Amino acid sequence: MEQHRTRRPQPRQRPQDTLPARGALADGTVYPVPARPPRPAPPVVLALRRLPNPRLTGLGAGLFGATVMLVLGGLDQLLLGGSAVVYGLLFLSVSALTALWVREADVVMAPVIVPIAFAVGIVPISGGDGGFGGQTMAVVTALAVHAGWLYGGTLIAGLITCVRKVRMMGRRQRRARAAQGPGRSGEGGTGGRTRQS
């Protein structure tokens, strides 16, 4: 009776890299490769980096927005007689600053904080009289009349919040990939050795 020999498959050997390393010639001489100079940042980015960059909690951002808008509304009433356009433009800038300065953990609070700050700040320029009821009706009327500024500031805060959230998620994914990268290659190499033995 004839028996066939079974031969164990030999692991394939990878061919050696025949190309020289970057900056090296075929004879082994190594020359330094000059590094690329970093690209200069645009002037707008440089100007934004010079601004203060506090990190406010959700409560701190709410207090910041409400206090600043109340002060600006009072100044608008004293100096300009309650100009709605000036108040609206100031509100847009405060909305952007609030969304930029709130910390990452509370970044979703910015679009909620901004309308509250608008309502608090509009009290001085609403022009109500006749007690609490008259003042309340004046504030409600001013909110309805100047709703465009309110929506605009909330939209700005929402857009800034979305951009910050997307960038934050991208940074987390890059960190996770960097943390998992070496571990995966080590596990693959060990598993391959186990199968061969």
Side-chain angles (χ1 to χ4, degrees):
M1 203 167 187
E2 226 179 285
Q3 291 184 348
H4 296 286
R5 287 186 187 178
T6 57
R7 189 188 279 183
R8 294 180 86 185
Q10 297 293 328
R12 292 184 183 175
Q13 294 181 352
R14 294 181 181 171
Q16 297 279 340
D17 290 336
T18 55
L19 295 174
R22 187 176 177 206
L25 298 176
D27 63 353
T29 309
V30 178
Y31 293 100
V33 177
R36 290 183 183 174
R39 286 185 353 189
V44 176
V45 175
L46 293 174
L48 288 173
R49 286 181 185 164
R50 284 189 217 114
L51 290 173
N53 193 18
R55 285 291 162 236
L56 303 171
T57 62
L59 180 61
L63 290 174
F64 164 77
T67 304
V68 170
M69 288 313 300
L70 187 61
V71 169
L72 291 175
L75 289 174
D76 183 23
Q77 178 64 30
L78 284 175
L79 302 176
L80 302 170
S83 171
V85 175
V86 173
Y87 179 78
L89 291 173
L90 292 171
F91 172 67
L92 295 181
S93 60
V94 171
S95 299
L97 288 176
T98 303
L100 286 171
W101 288 351
V102 70
R103 66 181 183 170
E104 289 185 347
D106 298 329
V107 73
V108 293
M109 294 291 293
V112 178
I113 292 166
V114 164
I116 297 169
F118 184 86
V120 169
I122 209 165
V123 171
I125 66 169
S126 62
D129 54 358
F132 180 74
Q135 186 67 43
T136 304
M137 287 306 297
V139 168
V140 171
T141 304
L143 286 173
V145 171
H146 306 302
W149 294 110
L150 175 63
Y151 294 145
T154 307
L155 180 64
I156 288 173
L159 288 175
I160 292 173
T161 298
C162 288
V163 169
R164 286 188 63 195
K165 193 73 173 170
V166 167
R167 289 181 66 192
M168 185 172 58
M169 289 177 1
R171 279 196 304 269
R172 283 184 187 165
Q173 286 178 351
R174 282 193 295 273
R175 280 189 222 127
R177 277 192 223 122
Q180 291 176 359
R184 281 184 180 172
S185 62
E187 286 168 10
T190 314
R193 284 188 207 115
T194 310
R195 283 185 201 129
Q196 287 174 7
S197 60

